[in-house]
Amino acid sequence: MTEAREWHKSSYSNGNNASCVEVAEGQTVLVRDTQNRTLGHLEYSADAWAAFLRDVKDGHL
């Protein structure tokens, strides 16, 4: 059975709705483009997502 996910707008998205990223957190983290939801999502381990956010916050990306 597929885990139900609650999607939310990423706090890293800017205020422009045309440039939003949505995230669903759980055992894995799902990421999708708000404007193209039907195209699917990318899936990351929780550790990989946390490392990505750290790098963004620290200005490495």
Side-chain angles (χ1 to χ4, degrees), residues 15-61:
N16 180 356
N17 286 337
S19 300
C20 292
V21 173
E22 293 178 321
V23 178
E25 297 164 314
Q27 290 288 329
T28 58
V29 178
L30 308 180
V31 182
R32 68 183 179 190
D33 179 348
T34 302
Q35 297 298 309
N36 295 292
R37 292 177 180 135
T38 59
L39 295 178
H41 61 269
L42 299 174
E43 186 171 330
Y44 300 94
S45 70
D47 289 340
W49 184 248
F52 170 73
L53 294 180
R54 256 191 322 275
D55 284 345
V56 168
K57 184 177 179 181
D58 292 343
H60 299 290
L61 298 176

